[in-house]
Amino acid sequence: MAQSARNGHHLPGPELQHCILEFDLENLVETVVAVFRSHPHINNVLIHICGGQWERIAHALHIILNPLATLHDLCPLAQNIVELMSAERGVTGRILKPYFNTLLAKVLPPRLSAHLCRHVFRLFLEMQARDAPPIGSG
């Protein structure tokens, strides 16, 4: 795995208390973009939501895949991508979630892959909680 002092990110969390993992975020984003572009359906959907500007997808993925990112860091495009990666709704959601998780498992060590999958899903859950109607309203 490529390591970069400039781009390395330390992963916090109780599951990694005694282990600091580093990874090259730039390289990971480039890999994910390339793999997403090579899948016909995912490519078409992402082209549609980014207006044909893959730099916007790369920027959004850079935010999403940063393990220190929070809900407040996500632009609308990043939120849309997180939903596609997590919700398993519609054709794209049912394709993209397992495709993304399998991709991370292939290119990252197991603990890092699992951590980033949980991180993306946590962002999704935070989006759902934010958007849920208040209890008792309805």
Side-chain angles (χ1 to χ4, degrees):
M1 170 177 56
Q3 294 193 6
S4 167
R6 184 172 61 88
N7 296 322
H9 292 273
H10 299 280
L11 303 179
E15 68 277 9
L16 300 174
Q17 281 179 344
H18 304 294
C19 180
I20 296 176
L21 298 174
E22 293 186 5
F23 71 104
D24 185 335
L25 180 57
E26 303 298 327
N27 186 36
L28 179 60
V29 168
E30 288 175 18
T31 299
V32 172
V33 167
V35 171
F36 282 1
R37 286 185 82 158
S38 72
H39 187 285
H41 182 80
I42 294 170
N43 179 45
N44 286 341
V45 170
L46 294 181
I47 283 175
H48 175 73
I49 68 172
C50 75
Q53 298 175 357
W54 274 95
E55 311 82 43
R56 292 182 63 215
I57 296 293
H59 177 73
L61 286 169
H62 192 275
I63 296 167
I64 294 165
L65 296 174
N66 180 340
L68 302 177
T70 68
L71 175 62
H72 304 292
D73 297 318
L74 301 179
C75 62
L77 178 60
Q79 290 178 40
N80 195 342
I81 294 170
V82 166
E83 185 166 344
L84 288 171
M85 294 170 134
S86 302
E88 296 182 86
R89 287 192 288 261
V91 172
T92 304
R94 288 191 301 273
I95 292 171
L96 189 54
K97 182 177 181 176
Y99 194 74
F100 171 70
N101 291 345
T102 300
L103 169 61
L104 289 186
K106 286 181 180 179
V107 300
L108 297 172
R111 291 179 79 178
L112 180 54
S113 170
H115 183 80
L116 285 177
C117 288
R118 284 190 306 271
H119 165 71
V120 172
F121 192 66
R122 190 175 317 122
L123 291 171
F124 172 68
L125 293 176
E126 290 174 8
M127 287 170 34
Q128 283 191 314
R130 176 200 62 200
D131 297 340
I135 297 175
S137 68

